[in-house]
Amino acid sequence: MDDRKTETTLTGRYVWTVTRHLGAEAGPDVARELRASIRDRVEAGIEAGNDPATAEREALTELGDPETLAREYGELPRHLIGPALYPDYVRLLRALLAILAPLALALLFVDRFESGAGGLGEIGVEAAVVLVTVTVHVAFWTTLVFAIIERARPADRRDLPLTAWGPDRLDVDVPGGRVGLPGTVARVALEVAMIALLVWQFSGVSDLGSQIQVLDPGLGLAWKVLLIGALAAGAVTALAAWRVGRWTSGLSVIDVLVTATGALVTVYLLIQDRLIVSDLSERLSEVFGGTIDLTISNDLLAALVIVIAVWDIADRLRGHRRDTTKA
Amino acid sequence: MLDDERWAGHVQELRRGTVVLACLAILGRPHYGYALLETLEKAGFSVDGNTLYPLLRRLEKQGLLTSEWNTDEARPRKFYKVGPDGEELRDALMGEWRALDGSIRALMEEDPDGRP
């Protein structure tokens, strides 16, 4: 007779819950022993002056959740992902999200850019949906894989990490590190190039037959100065950070304000249809020949500008927080 | 002064590692689960049944304990006893225990107030 099967007393139901998944070899033996142990405990309770029903309840309450006990007997983990795997799990999760979330957003923008459809609000909602979907999928599948690994490993190896750690894996990017020259040069060069491009475009191209007028030279002087000024201020701030050696709180605030100003002005002008010339398609056709139909959605460009600006600002704030919490 | 809960936590942590040694020491003579639990409790090792019973089976699986069903009495009970490997482990753990005791004593005598 299988000792796990039993009458429907509390003890019987308890023993069955503990032993039902333990297999035909160990299960009945554990059941028989556990029932004897419970009976011993119940008798001790009765001797101490309790009635049998109370003594039984006490004995079972003391043993606790039968699922927990079943996992103890079955040597199964009582956690989804244990402390040994957890660092690897978090590392992989972060790496996957850092790669896949921007990639999915970029693909979405390229797709909407090509089809030229959708307003700013629509694209914003779509981007949010894409981000949530990617995050949920990455989190779910990574968690599932690690939970399976945790359960597939032998019980005596559960304290070991998946990958051995060595000093080579230490983070290179630590607080107190100096602002590097290559990064500063790259950023200043980019901003100077942008300024040159804007000055050239805003002053009106000289030869409409071979050069393309993309930005509207008729834009008010104040707007032109604001856009170019934001870029120039960004370059100066980057140079200052390099001189000082790090991004101080003040420099970080200036950088965030400059980035935000440039982005807001650009978005405002794009939405107002004042930044880009209205006859861009015809001008392109004129220069390259044939008929080019380039219906770029201003809203889409605005969305791109916002995403890039938010990215920049988040990067700056994160770098600043890291530098100020070195303690 | 530590609050009671944290105090108890540290004491429990220290004792937890000694439960196996205590079991091996008691099980020189055969005991069944509940009797072992009571003996441990009287000796000051507050271990719960839901920890002890699975632990006994694990030690048996590792070949440290042997077990036998005793059906002579009115109710059958499973008795555990230390096997040859278990005796060896018990002596080794006992040696560790004495070595630790000696080390801690030496540290305390070197620096009775615990101050640098």
Side-chain angles (χ1 to χ4, degrees):
Chain A
M1 189 193 101
D2 189 336
D3 272 295
R4 288 175 288 184
K5 295 207 182 81
T6 177
E7 70 288 5
T8 53
T9 58
L10 286 182
T11 302
R13 276 149 58 199
Y14 187 93
V15 170
W16 168 245
T17 314
V18 172
T19 55
R20 60 183 157 180
H21 297 306
L22 286 183
E25 205 185 313
D29 195 63
V30 170
R32 204 172 164 210
E33 186 189 7
L34 187 58
R35 193 166 304 136
S37 298
I38 294 172
R39 207 166 38 215
D40 285 332
R41 170 67 182 81
V42 171
E43 275 181 10
I46 294 172
E47 268 174 41
N50 282 323
D51 63 287
T54 315
E56 189 184 19
R57 295 193 81 90
E58 254 182 26
L60 297 182
T61 310
E62 239 176 55
L63 279 175
D65 191 332
E67 298 289 351
T68 309
L69 195 51
R71 297 199 152 259
E72 281 285 333
Y73 275 120
E75 293 179 44
L76 292 166
R78 276 187 287 157
H79 46 250
L80 196 59
I81 293 161
L85 285 189
Y86 189 71
D88 279 325
Y89 166 70
V90 173
R91 257 195 292 270
L92 183 64
L93 203 55
R94 279 204 187 128
L96 284 177
L97 282 176
I99 295 166
L100 293 179
L103 188 69
L105 273 190
L107 287 176
L108 172 77
F109 284 128
V110 167
D111 182 61
R112 291 296 171 276
F113 194 81
E114 276 178 353
S115 64
L120 188 55
E122 202 178 311
I123 292 170
V125 171
E126 276 179 329
V129 169
V130 163
L131 275 185
V132 170
T133 311
V134 167
T135 307
V136 168
H137 268 281
V138 166
F140 174 77
W141 293 108
T142 310
T143 309
L144 183 68
V145 166
F146 270 85
I148 290 171
I149 292 173
E150 185 74 279
R151 275 143 192 80
R153 304 208 294 174
D156 54 343
R157 292 186 56 82
R158 233 169 253 152
D159 291 338
L160 301 175
L162 267 193
T163 51
W165 187 89
D168 295 340
R169 289 176 63 178
L170 278 174
D171 208 342
V172 180
D173 195 15
V174 293
R178 285 190 65 88
V179 173
L181 184 61
T184 310
V185 168
R187 186 172 162 189
V188 172
L190 184 73
E191 261 153 338
V192 168
M194 288 284 288
I195 291 172
L197 205 62
L198 286 188
V199 169
W200 169 58
Q201 283 281 324
F202 280 150
S203 55
V205 299
S206 50
D207 177 11
L208 280 174
S210 63
Q211 299 173 334
I212 308 156
Q213 186 73 54
V214 177
L215 303 180
D216 193 348
L219 189 67
L221 183 64
W223 292 117
K224 289 178 182 173
V225 169
L226 203 51
L227 282 173
I228 291 171
L231 284 168
V236 170
T237 320
L239 279 174
W242 173 67
R243 281 285 295 169
V244 175
R246 63 192 185 88
W247 282 94
T248 62
S249 299
L251 287 174
S252 295
V253 169
I254 294 174
D255 195 51
V256 166
L257 287 179
V258 163
T259 308
T261 309
L264 284 177
V265 170
T266 310
V267 167
Y268 174 75
L269 293 176
L270 276 171
I271 290 172
Q272 296 262 314
D273 263 339
R274 288 163 66 182
L275 190 61
I276 293 175
V277 293
S278 48
D279 54 350
L280 186 59
S281 295
E282 290 102 85
R283 282 167 192 271
L284 282 172
S285 310
E286 231 171 80
V287 172
F288 292 109
T291 48
I292 297 169
D293 184 24
L294 193 71
T295 41
I296 302 173
S297 154
N298 277 349
D299 286 343
L300 185 69
L301 282 177
L304 261 179
V305 170
I306 292 174
V307 167
I308 292 169
V310 167
W311 192 275
D312 273 356
I313 291 173
D315 199 41
R316 172 67 44 237
L317 293 179
R318 210 181 46 195
H320 182 253
R321 196 189 59 190
R322 200 186 51 220
D323 281 6
T324 48
T325 52
K326 48 187 154 183
Chain B
M1 184 70 197
L2 284 169
D3 53 274
D4 287 353
E5 223 167 89
R6 233 180 287 172
W7 182 287
H10 285 295
V11 172
Q12 208 182 349
E13 187 73 21
L14 187 61
R15 288 187 172 223
R16 187 171 304 157
T18 60
V19 167
V20 169
L21 177 54
C23 283
L24 292 175
I26 296 170
L27 290 177
R29 289 189 304 118
H31 280 70
Y32 57 91
Y34 187 72
L36 178 61
L37 193 69
E38 285 200 307
T39 310
L40 281 169
E41 218 153 81
K42 271 180 208 144
F45 294 88
S46 65
V47 55
D48 288 330
N50 53 22
T51 310
L52 183 68
Y53 301 148
L55 172 70
L56 287 174
R57 296 195 81 93
R58 267 204 301 283
L59 295 178
E60 185 190 6
K61 215 169 135 189
Q62 291 171 13
L64 301 166
L65 300 180
T66 56
S67 74
E68 206 179 340
W69 277 97
N70 182 334
T71 47
D72 296 347
E73 287 177 50
R75 56 187 43 164
R77 283 177 180 130
K78 193 175 188 177
F79 280 75
Y80 293 90
K81 190 180 181 306
V82 174
D85 282 359
E87 279 173 11
E88 211 173 300
L89 179 71
R90 182 191 61 201
D91 295 345
L93 288 179
M94 215 39 228
E96 285 289 324
W97 177 258
R98 294 211 172 94
L100 273 175
D101 182 51
S103 308
I104 299 274
R105 272 174 203 276
L107 287 175
M108 299 291 269
E109 275 160 27
E110 206 172 279
D111 181 14
D113 293 333
R115 285 194 202 96

